[in-house]
Amino acid sequence: MPHGHASEALTKNQALVMGALSEATGPLSAYTILDQLRDDGLRAPLQVYRALDKLVEFGLVHRLESLNAFVACRQPGCDSHERTAFMICDDCGSVIEITDKALARRLKSLAQDASFALKKSTIELRGLCAACTPM
Amino acid sequence: MPHGHASEALTKNQALVMGALSEATGPLSAYTILDQLRDDGLRAPLQVYRALDKLVEFGLVHRLESLNAFVACRQPGCDSHERTAFMICDDCGSVIEITDKALARRLKSLAQDASFALKKSTIELRGLCAACTPM
DNA sequence: TTGCACACGTTATACCGTTACACAATCGTG
DNA sequence: CACGATTGTGTAACGGTATAACGTGTGCAA
Ligand SMILES: [Zn+2]
Ligand SMILES: [Zn+2]
Ligand SMILES: [Zn+2]
Ligand SMILES: [Zn+2]
């Protein structure tokens, strides 16, 4: 059972999906991945979704809720995948992944104030990346 | 053109959709809304989606990305709809809406550090609400 | 009057994700 | 080894989410 970012012992389908996401420069939808992997033998959405579920579980891939898409984790020390924040460029689609202690603390504190048992944070910031911002 | 939370001058379809969301205790999907409003003459998804787009634009409704659903804004002074955070109970589906200055500041600061021109924040916390948390 | 903006209605289609069922490989245990 | 349990796989069918591409009617301003 793989752990952390060492992509050891992935199954064939998991490795295929992981490969597609790793080579991509931005997020991919499940169906885009499927199209890219048809020549490798994948034929049905479920094959992709099953692999994605595992990859997310292993911490190798993030799901971007506001995009209905998936992106390979690029952050070497990204341990706490439950509190990662993303900046998504609405123009070029690039994704910046960040984990910020202060942000996590504040969210935890807000949850406590509301007696809310926090399990997972979805934080997705939309806007324009540095390259796409007009001067 | 309506502004703020005074629901003035909504069109017929907008008023119908707003009514459904206001009476609901939690988030509703577009298709659930459609089903509820069939007797009122709504027949196609697009009619609901068009109304929802406007209601979100007016600041009367929030879209919850992680749920693919919509919820009426319950916060009287909810001005900055672009930085509202939500706590969503995975058990009962209830939604707590919060706007926190410190949180907004931290996000703004993180964006600035990355030269990211922040337009909209999606912050959705998943977990268990107070009522659903076992002792 | 003419053009424009906007709400509306309908059909069809695209995109996202799951259920249900069947089969094969693997693994720990008696 | 044999057995059951678990996990991965493959396929078909389906259901849920969202938009495209039409066309209609109304109000208003140039
Ligand atoms: Zn990561
Ligand atoms: Zn960009
Ligand atoms: Zn609000
Ligand atoms: Zn609850």
Side-chain angles (χ1 to χ4, degrees), chain A residues 31 46 49 63 68:
Chain A
Y31 277 71
L46 192 48
Y49 280 108
R63 177 191 174 104
N68 290 330

Side-chain angles (χ1 to χ4, degrees), chain A residues 1-10 58 60 76:
Chain A
M1 188 186 303
H3 258 308
H5 281 188
S7 58
E8 18 148 7
L10 294 184
F58 296 158
L60 297 170

Side-chain angles (χ1 to χ4, degrees), chain B residues 5-28:
Chain B
H5 281 189
S7 59
E8 17 148 7
L10 293 184
T11 69
K12 173 168 151 280
N13 288 359
Q14 287 162 14
L16 285 170
V17 171
M18 190 66 214
L21 284 172
S22 296
E23 287 170 20
T25 64
L28 298 179

